Amino acid sequence: MAKEKTAYVCTECGYDSAKWLGKCPACGQWDTFKEVKTASPKVSRRGTSVVGAGVFGVENCEGGRVVRLRDVDTKAEERIDTLDPELNRVLGGGLVKGSLVLLGGEPGIGKSTLLLQTVLRLKGLRILYVSGEESESQLRMRADRLKPADVEAIGADCYILCETSLEKIYEHAREIEPDLLIVDSVQAVSTQQGEAFPGSPSQVRDCAVSLLRYVKETGRSVLLIGHITKDGILAGPKVLEHIVDTVIQFEGDRQNFYRVLRSLKNRFGSTSELGIYEMQSGGLRPVVNPSEMLLNQDNEGLSGVAVASAVEGVRPLLIETQALVSTAAYGNPQRSATGFDIRRLNMLLAVLEKRAGFKLAQKDVFLNIAGGLRVSDPAIDLAVVVSILSSAYDQPVKPFTCLAGEIGLSGEIRSVTRIAQRIGEAKRLGFRRIVVPRSNLKGLDTALTGMEIIAASKLQDALRHLF
């Protein structure tokens, strides 16, 4: 019989300790440790854990064999077309057969809606949708809202199961033999092999390891829905993200219509791709042209607004940066940024004061990336600085102007990648001039761009052309 042990586990990050702690040393949260009774994992004679073993007839597996790397037969991975261009883009071209994918996001952001409308669209695939949080009638009502006209025809091969026991899920999976298994959510599923309560870090880890074994033995794909904590990270142990093949996250403000799908880990593609959706009454609609969605057409003559030409993955986006600079009314100046790294904002303000001579130490600075988007491209530095100065001096930027450039600590404007795509997107949306780093002009035929190209090597040069 397995020896029972007692441990204390942080409910926020999954850190475990042999004794109770008031403050978690990993995530810094207070009063998050809960007592968990666990059993030592049973180990077979061959040293293999029995979690998930024997379910698919591989209990006596001898393990792998040693081969030379050059003798390995390589072939392109077979992918499933989800018929969703944004989801295909984030996954790297489609869902790879025999992969384990984890989708995370805040409650109510649209994770279940995204996957349910995807499986209703697929044809010729047998799909098992397992829900541990909703009833059958709730799933059917959601499906009727997504595809009210042809749900009977499209969802003919979509089976639903309301179950939280992983062993019973495997029993139904053996009967149905689905090509795609969806588990909503991994925190709601538990296995009899674990002694802890459902949703605990140890249960989440055991279920994920067992599902990974199912994926590798059957060659079928599994999609997991995961919760996130109040800090915006995936709930459960960090090892959960190491187990799965792909981690994608659904982001956005529930008060806003737009959602952003981004890849945090992908063993079969790039992690820099981005998908944008619009939430409608009939489900999530992919946004084909996100630049038009992110731009406000009525900002002419307004100060504190600048348009940046950014790139997310291989997709160029024109993003509107908005800034508000005012006198600090309460002594201590405030610094606030929405959709932008606050530490980078403080760095840019320091560069403005040290290198360009603009005194903003006694000013409140508020920065917002329009559309609820969070951007990590350093090429929007120039637009951020220009919008701040535009608001500080209440002077609008010249109309039909966009910017692209990274600002260094010495006040220089550094070169950016994919400058041709940035200029092409700006021209397509009707912009007439663009400010770019001077070092990006090498090898670029400015006559063929059809736009006025303003090259600047220092921050002062760009400001002289804009104001």
Side-chain angles (χ1 to χ4, degrees):
M1 184 176 179
K3 183 179 179 181
E4 190 177 84
K5 297 190 301 182
T6 299
Y8 294 88
V9 179
C10 176
T11 57
E12 292 293 332
C13 66
Y15 180 86
D16 60 273
S17 173
K19 60 180 181 179
W20 185 86
L21 300 174
K23 181 180 180 181
C24 177
C27 63
Q29 299 296 320
W30 287 90
D31 196 22
T32 57
F33 277 88
K34 302 297 180 183
E35 182 180 356
V36 177
K37 292 184 178 181
T38 61
S40 301
K42 301 176 184 178
V43 179
S44 67
R45 295 179 180 178
R46 301 183 187 274
T48 305
S49 175
V50 301
V51 176
V55 179
F56 301 99
V58 292
E59 189 170 358
N60 295 324
C61 178
E62 293 293 340
R65 57 190 179 91
V66 178
V67 294
R68 288 190 179 94
L69 180 61
R70 64 184 182 186
D71 296 335
V72 177
D73 185 18
T74 59
K75 60 180 180 180
E77 61 270 1
E78 190 176 357
R79 295 181 181 265
I80 300 174
D81 185 7
T82 63
L83 302 179
D84 186 335
E86 300 299 302
L87 183 57
N88 282 341
R89 183 198 308 273
V90 175
L91 291 174
L95 181 63
V96 176
K97 290 187 177 181
S99 63
L100 183 60
V101 179
L102 175 62
L103 171 63
E106 295 181 357
I109 203 69
K111 305 182 297 296
S112 302
T113 300
L114 175 64
L115 293 188
L116 187 57
Q117 75 175 21
T118 299
V119 301
L120 291 177
R121 195 183 297 117
L122 296 176
K123 297 181 181 179
L125 291 178
R126 191 179 294 266
I127 301 167
L128 177 59
Y129 190 104
V130 180
S131 176
E133 301 174 348
E134 293 182 289
S135 63
E136 298 174 356
S137 59
Q138 288 175 319
L139 291 173
R140 176 56 195 261
M141 287 189 295
R142 186 195 296 269
D144 290 337
R145 292 196 303 268
L146 298 177
K147 284 289 183 181
D150 52 356
V151 65
E152 294 290 345
I154 295 184
D157 290 333
C158 179
Y159 299 86
I160 59 175
L161 172 64
C162 298
E163 184 57 67
T164 58
S165 173
L166 189 60
E167 285 74 18
K168 293 182 179 180
I169 293 174
Y170 285 147
E171 292 179 5
H172 292 283
R174 284 199 301 268
E175 296 176 2
I176 299 175
E177 295 184 354
D179 300 308
L180 175 62
L181 174 63
I182 298 177
V183 179
D184 183 10
S185 64
V186 66
Q187 280 82 12
V189 177
S190 61
T191 175
Q192 297 177 0
Q193 299 292 336
E195 300 292 336
F197 56 87
S200 64
S202 60
Q203 277 282 6
V204 172
R205 180 185 64 248
D206 292 344
C207 291
V209 170
S210 182
L211 287 169
L212 178 65
R213 189 181 183 93
Y214 167 81
V215 167
K216 301 308 177 185
E217 292 169 4
T218 61
R220 301 184 179 111
S221 302
V222 175
L223 283 170
L224 304 178
I225 293 180
H227 300 163
I228 65 171
T229 64
K230 59 184 178 182
D231 296 324
I233 60 176
L234 285 165
K238 195 66 177 178
V239 71
L240 176 64
E241 300 180 43
H242 294 281
I243 292 173
V244 300
D245 296 314
T246 304
V247 180
I248 54 180
Q249 187 158 331
F250 218 24
E251 303 173 353
D253 187 359
R254 281 182 291 179
Q255 308 302 324
N256 201 332
F257 292 112
Y258 298 104
R259 305 286 189 268
V260 176
L261 183 68
R262 68 174 74 243
S263 175
L264 304 181
K265 170 190 175 182
N266 193 353
R267 289 173 176 163
F268 309 107
S270 173
T271 57
S272 58
E273 294 297 341
L274 190 79
I276 300 179
Y277 293 86
E278 180 183 6
M279 178 64 79
Q280 298 179 341
S281 59
L284 292 160
R285 181 187 68 87
V287 178
V288 180
N289 192 358
S291 295
E292 294 181 355
M293 175 267 292
L294 296 171
L295 292 179
N296 182 11
Q297 304 299 327
D298 302 325
N299 57 5
E300 185 175 351
L302 300 178
S303 62
V305 178
V307 178
S309 182
V311 170
E312 288 290 336
V314 297
R315 168 187 289 185
L317 299 174
L318 291 189
I319 299 172
E320 186 177 295
T321 61
Q322 303 172 344
L324 176 62
V325 179
S326 61
T327 303
Y330 302 103
N332 294 326
Q334 302 181 57
R335 303 287 188 261
S336 176
T338 303
F340 190 75
D341 189 3
I342 184 66
R343 293 171 296 181
R344 192 163 188 87
L345 173 62
N346 292 329
M347 184 201 74
L348 294 176
L349 293 176
V351 171
L352 275 177
E353 182 171 353
K354 179 71 174 179
R355 304 299 181 185
F358 294 97
K359 304 299 182 181
L360 299 173
Q362 301 301 321
K363 301 286 186 178
D364 292 336
V365 180
F366 303 93
L367 182 69
N368 177 50
I369 304 298
L373 192 66
R374 182 168 186 84
V375 185
S376 58
D377 187 5
I380 71 170
D381 286 353
L382 185 57
V384 169
V385 168
V386 169
S387 64
I388 291 173
L389 294 180
S390 173
S391 177
Y393 296 98
D394 199 18
Q395 185 175 351
V397 181
K398 291 182 180 180
F400 305 104
T401 303
C402 64
L403 308 101
E406 178 185 357
I407 296 180
L409 294 179
S410 300
E412 79 278 12
I413 301 180
R414 304 173 63 87
S415 60
V416 296
T417 60
R418 301 183 181 272
I419 189 63
Q421 287 88 337
R422 299 175 193 267
I423 296 175
E425 181 73 5
K427 180 184 177 183
R428 188 179 66 83
L429 293 178
F431 285 82
R432 300 172 185 171
R433 66 185 65 85
I434 182 172
V435 180
V436 300
R438 186 176 300 276
S439 55
N440 275 121
L441 294 183
K442 298 178 181 178
L444 180 66
D445 192 347
T446 57
L448 298 179
T449 60
M451 294 182 63
E452 179 185 354
I453 307 296
I454 300 175
S457 58
K458 296 182 179 180
L459 183 58
Q460 294 87 336
D461 299 337
L463 299 179
R464 193 177 302 112
H465 287 287
L466 294 172
F467 299 107

